[in-house]
């Protein structure tokens, strides 16, 4: 039993160490020329376009469900007018950044791992090294820069769509006046609410990029190995995103108010 636990602990330590090394190398190489701007813009376009529909639907329905659930309780207290405040705070602080990160991790993180994993098992990454090309600089850095740029932008978009979903329920079904709903929303929101959500989105993007690229570049075992690596990348990204969200929420709203 102790041997099994020890082996698992060493395996976890080794994995976290490899993640830390890849993250450090990626950050350092991001400031070293040549800068592959075209590749970064291509990745940004791919991440934005392919995630937009999923982010839109997820955020819209989340805002609507949040408003409906809030109304169920607040109508008993005659406090429907505060539904807009609750929706705005919940979306910008928590649900917008987290749900957007989970959608991007499931969609684009899996795609990045599958792409790099296929390159690994077909020895294309080995060929890059043979040509004296650093695969981290060539493959990881553009995806890393694209993700840390696009995920905060997608989060701002998700915040707006989520609040729009709440607005549709609040005004269309609950009969709250449009001007009152909008005024209560913006009277409640502060710069800190939006800013902390964007900080979370930045670190979620780092998690998705590093985990996805690490799993892809360490893939072994042909097509079956690519499938296993993709599954691991999504699972590990989800776990770390939720854990990081818990940590940041504690820091922002309980330890450093």
């Amino acid at each position: 039993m102790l041997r099994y636990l020890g082996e698992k602990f060493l395996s976890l330590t080794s994995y976290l160490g490899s993640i830390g090394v890849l993250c450090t190398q990626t950050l350092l190489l991001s400031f070293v020329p040549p800068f592959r701007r075209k590749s970064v813009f291509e990745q940004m376009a791919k991440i934005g376009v392919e995630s937009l529909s999923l982010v839109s639907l997820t955020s819209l329905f989340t805002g609507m469900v949040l408003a409906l659930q809030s109304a169920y309780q607040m109508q008993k207290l005659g406090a429907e007018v505060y539904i807009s405040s609750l929706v705005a705070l919940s979306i910008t602080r928590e649900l917008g950044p987290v749900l957007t990160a989970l959608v991007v991790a499931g969609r684009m993180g899996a795609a990045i791992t599958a792409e790099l994993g296929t390159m690994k098992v077909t020895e294309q990454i080995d060929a890059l090294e043979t040509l004296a090309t650093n695969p981290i600089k060539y493959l990881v850095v553009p995806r890393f820069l694209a993700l840390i740029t696009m995920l905060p932008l997608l989060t701002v978009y998700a915040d707006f769509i989520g609040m729009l979903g709440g607005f549709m329920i609040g005004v269309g079904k609950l009969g709250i006046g449009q001007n009152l709903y909008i005024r209560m929303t913006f009277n409640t929101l502060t710069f800190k609410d939006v800013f902390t959500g964007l900080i979370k989105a930045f670190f979620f993007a780092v998690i998705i990029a590093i985990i996805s690229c690490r799993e892809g570049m360490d893939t072994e075992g042909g097509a079956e190995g690519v499938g296993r690596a993709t599954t691991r990348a999504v699972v590990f990204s989800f776990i770390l995103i939720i854990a990081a969200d818990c940590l940041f929420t504690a820091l922002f709203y309980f330890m450093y108010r």
Side-chain angles (χ1 to χ4, degrees), residues 29-30 34-48 137-150:
L29 290 173
S30 298
F35 302 107
R36 302 183 65 241
R37 295 183 184 85
K38 182 179 179 182
S39 181
V40 174
F41 286 129
E42 287 175 353
Q43 291 295 326
M44 288 171 63
K46 186 186 294 185
I47 292 167
K137 174 69 177 175
Y138 189 80
L139 298 172
V140 178
V141 170
R143 289 164 174 79
F144 173 80
L145 294 177
L147 272 167
I148 63 173
T149 304
M150 291 307 298

Side-chain angles (χ1 to χ4, degrees), residues 4-23:
Y4 174 79
L5 292 175
E7 289 176 351
K8 288 295 182 185
F9 177 76
L10 290 176
S11 175
L12 176 63
T13 304
S14 175
Y15 183 79
L16 293 177
S18 67
I19 292 294
V21 170
L22 179 59
C23 187

Side-chain angles (χ1 to χ4, degrees), residues 51-121:
S51 304
L52 200 60
S53 57
L54 285 174
V55 170
S56 301
L57 291 173
T58 304
S59 303
L60 182 67
F61 290 131
T62 299
M64 296 173 73
V65 169
L66 196 57
L68 287 169
Q69 286 287 0
S70 305
Y72 179 74
Q73 292 297 328
M74 289 192 173
Q75 281 181 332
K76 298 177 183 177
L77 305 172
E80 298 96 326
V81 69
Y82 293 107
I83 290 173
S84 58
S85 304
L86 191 150
V87 171
L89 291 178
S90 301
I91 291 289
T92 54
R93 287 183 180 183
E94 294 294 333
L95 296 176
V98 172
L99 291 178
T100 304
L102 295 180
V103 167
V104 171
R107 180 69 181 86
M108 298 312 304
I112 288 172
T113 303
E115 185 180 9
L116 297 186
T118 303
M119 293 179 69
K120 177 66 176 178
V121 298

Side-chain angles (χ1 to χ4, degrees), residues 114-128 139 216-217 219-223 226:
E115 185 180 9
L116 297 186
T118 303
M119 293 179 69
K120 177 66 176 178
V121 298
T122 56
E123 300 183 351
Q124 294 180 56
I125 293 179
D126 295 334
L128 286 174
L139 298 172
M217 296 183 70
T219 301
E220 294 177 347
V226 174

Side-chain angles (χ1 to χ4, degrees), residues 174-187:
L174 304 176
I176 301 173
Q178 294 183 21
N179 293 334
L180 178 60
Y181 192 98
I182 294 172
R183 188 169 68 251
M184 289 296 292
T185 296
F186 288 101
N187 284 346

